[in-house]
Amino acid sequence: SAVISQKPSRDICQRGTSLTIQCQVDSQVTMMFWYRQQPGQSLTLIATANQGSEATYESGFVIDKFPISRPNLTFSTLTVSNMSPEDSSIYLCSVERGRKETQYFGPGTRLLVL
Amino acid sequence: GESVGLHLPTLSVQEGDNSIINCAYSNSASDYFIWYKQESGKGPQFIIDIRSNMDKRQGQRVTVLLNKTVKHLSLQIAATQPGDSAVYFCAEKGPGTALIFGKGTTLSVSS
């Protein structure tokens, strides 16, 4: 498995502001992923972040809204920009580990936008 | 688009019963499947996985069954305990594709 931490664990923000979420992994990984989980819903992939290259965004998600950094093999950040109440969600990072490329998840960041 | 779905949004069982959570997937190219458990306030926790070259895999108190003919996946939990209460997600992955999650089943265990 993998030990993954996220900061902050939760936050309440005002609309129009931005929040940067940090994800730290206990060992080096090639691929890191960012997901959004809206209230009572399943997980939706936002983007895949590989170290040394631009993040790859899924349909419906754009870099201007969700800029991602991947400065090294154990760390990534996701910024939720110009927030609106519709951005209220749990944001989760995950990593692939092992021969089967199993994905393991962090504890999530619970964001409420007022 | 392609998606993974679960048959029932909620499942209520008595402590000690066996639980079966079902999932239908639509992408016949998917070759790797994972079950996750998500407790309130936590991230999804890996439970068990299975490759498409298998039809059954057992863990501790859990069994995953894969029926590729009808594109169906199930998670069986033996002797369900109150600590098993959570939301369960199936997820599928194909070669070169991202992990796709189903909608989730909320398991409630009463003692």
Side-chain angles (χ1 to χ4, degrees):
Chain A
S1 63
V3 177
I4 306 169
S5 60
Q6 287 185 232
K7 289 182 181 179
S9 59
R10 59 180 65 243
D11 207 342
I12 301 173
C13 301
Q14 297 297 319
R15 68 169 67 216
T17 63
S18 298
L19 177 72
T20 296
I21 301 167
Q22 300 179 7
C23 179
Q24 180 77 50
V25 190
D26 63 336
S27 60
Q28 295 181 346
V29 292
T30 302
M31 299 180 75
M32 296 181 76
F33 306 87
W34 286 98
Y35 286 79
R36 181 175 72 183
Q37 186 176 25
Q38 294 177 301
Q41 301 297 312
S42 186
L43 282 74
T44 301
L45 180 65
I46 298 172
T48 301
N50 291 337
Q51 195 269 336
S53 63
E54 294 289 326
T56 302
Y57 289 82
E58 297 298 305
S59 176
F61 298 97
V62 295
I63 188 171
D64 289 346
K65 176 67 175 177
F66 297 102
I68 288 171
S69 77
R70 184 78 202 275
N72 58 52
L73 291 172
T74 63
F75 187 79
S76 179
T77 68
L78 170 76
T79 298
V80 187
S81 303
N82 188 24
M83 288 184 285
S84 67
E86 291 71 33
D87 293 320
S88 298
S89 292
I90 302 172
Y91 292 87
L92 297 140
C93 71
S94 74
V95 303
E96 280 186 345
R97 184 66 65 83
R99 179 175 49 84
K100 289 187 285 189
E101 300 178 336
T102 304
Q103 276 190 239
Y104 298 94
F105 285 82
T109 294
R110 281 142 187 83
L111 172 61
L112 176 62
V113 184
L114 302 178
Chain B
E2 293 156 337
S3 65
V4 177
L6 286 168
H7 293 301
L8 291 175
T10 61
L11 177 65
S12 297
V13 301
Q14 292 285 325
E15 181 178 2
D17 287 352
N18 295 331
S19 302
I20 300 175
I21 301 172
N22 295 305
C23 173
Y25 65 95
S26 59
N27 186 358
S28 56
S30 293
D31 60 0
Y32 183 46
F33 304 87
I34 306 174
W35 280 100
Y36 290 93
K37 171 186 180 183
Q38 187 174 28
E39 296 174 280
S40 181
K42 297 183 179 180
Q45 175 190 356
F46 171 89
I47 302 174
I48 192 168
D49 60 358
I50 189 168
R51 284 270 185 212
S52 59
N53 60 352
M54 303 174 69
D55 52 20
K56 180 179 180 179
R57 190 155 187 253
Q58 289 184 290
Q60 186 177 13
R61 282 201 307 117
V62 294
T63 301
V64 55
L65 299 176
L66 175 63
N67 185 330
K68 295 181 287 295
T69 303
V70 295
K71 290 186 279 190
H72 184 268
L73 192 68
S74 68
L75 176 70
Q76 300 178 1
I77 304 174
T80 313
Q81 304 168 358
D84 295 326
S85 295
V87 181
Y88 289 81
F89 294 97
C90 66
E92 63 172 324
K93 190 176 188 303
T97 66
L99 194 63
I100 299 173
F101 280 77
K103 295 187 185 303
T105 291
T106 299
L107 176 65
S108 299
V109 183
S110 53
S111 52

